[in-house]
Amino acid sequence: MMSNLRFISAGFGGQGVLFIGKVAANAAMLDNMHVAWLPSYGPEMRGGTANCSVCISEKPINSPIVPHPDVLIALNNPSLEKFSGSVKTNGIIICDKDIVTLTSGRNDVQEIGAYATETAEKNGVKGLANMIILGMLYAKTKFCSENSLFEAIKICTPKRKAEMLELNYKAVKFGMNLV
């Protein structure tokens, strides 16, 4: 399990970028890690830009701001353009290649792309590309225990969307197998 992780999840509002961060933060808390989750979104919400910073650490966290993330999750081109330059050397950039058509142009980071939107549609989990990406993040970083990850999905899935729980699990498992 990775003892320290700082990442940014970014994309359009409505893509589930904040949900990725919320689930990751809750999963790490279940493993007794220190956590900071800082959401940021424009006034438009759906369709506007949204991102969140997540810090997971064995030690207390001084600031929730992540100027140099270990990992960037970019779910649209503007997010890749805005944040890719700040990713640490030897860091990771994870993209949904159905939407992100650019590359960072960096050779000192690992870029991992998957056709998450298409994978979701073809596998009966349409609209859950974000959960596929979360599975990819987990597979690359092991930021928590697998049990805590699935428990956090249960905690974070609203009761009014209880029917989504098994689909969220399924999508995360698809993502875990893509990397």
Side-chain angles (χ1 to χ4, degrees):
M1 188 163 72
M2 183 174 266
S3 59
N4 293 296
L5 176 66
R6 294 179 177 280
F7 75 88
I8 292 174
S9 175
F12 293 123
Q15 284 185 294
V17 296
L18 301 182
F19 192 72
I20 290 170
K22 185 177 179 181
V23 170
N26 275 273
M29 281 193 299
L30 290 169
D31 282 342
N32 297 311
M33 300 291 281
H34 295 273
V35 173
W37 176 71
L38 182 64
S40 173
Y41 42 86
E44 311 89 7
M45 292 293 275
R46 284 197 177 276
T49 58
N51 70 77
C52 68
S53 300
V54 179
C55 304
I56 298 169
S57 178
E58 292 176 336
K59 298 176 180 156
I61 297 165
N62 295 330
S63 171
I65 297 169
V66 179
H68 301 289
D70 302 301
V71 178
L72 168 64
I73 294 171
L75 298 187
N76 63 13
N77 285 328
S79 295
L80 180 68
E81 290 175 311
K82 180 176 181 177
F83 295 110
S84 64
S86 65
V87 176
K88 286 182 179 176
T89 298
N90 299 319
I92 301 168
I93 298 174
I94 301 173
C95 297
D96 181 348
K97 289 172 62 174
D98 286 307
I99 299 166
V100 179
T101 57
L102 305 174
T103 64
S104 71
R106 294 181 58 182
N107 59 10
D108 62 340
V109 297
Q110 181 182 9
E111 286 193 48
I112 303 167
Y115 293 97
T117 299
E118 180 183 326
T119 300
E121 288 175 10
K122 285 184 175 177
N123 291 285
V125 291
K126 185 175 180 172
L128 297 179
N130 65 320
M131 299 307 284
I132 290 173
I133 297 291
L134 175 63
M136 293 171 67
L137 173 69
Y138 175 79
K140 287 303 290 182
T141 65
K142 301 288 196 268
F143 62 86
C144 66
S145 68
E146 193 169 324
N147 285 345
S148 291
L149 178 61
F150 287 103
E151 183 62 25
I153 293 167
K154 184 177 177 181
I155 290 167
C156 295
T157 301
K159 299 284 183 253
R160 62 182 161 67
K161 291 188 176 183
E163 75 283 357
M164 296 301 295
L165 191 57
E166 290 302 320
L167 296 174
N168 281 337
Y169 292 157
K170 187 176 176 183
V172 167
K173 288 175 187 172
F174 280 125
M176 288 177 177
N177 293 318
L178 288 177
V179 292

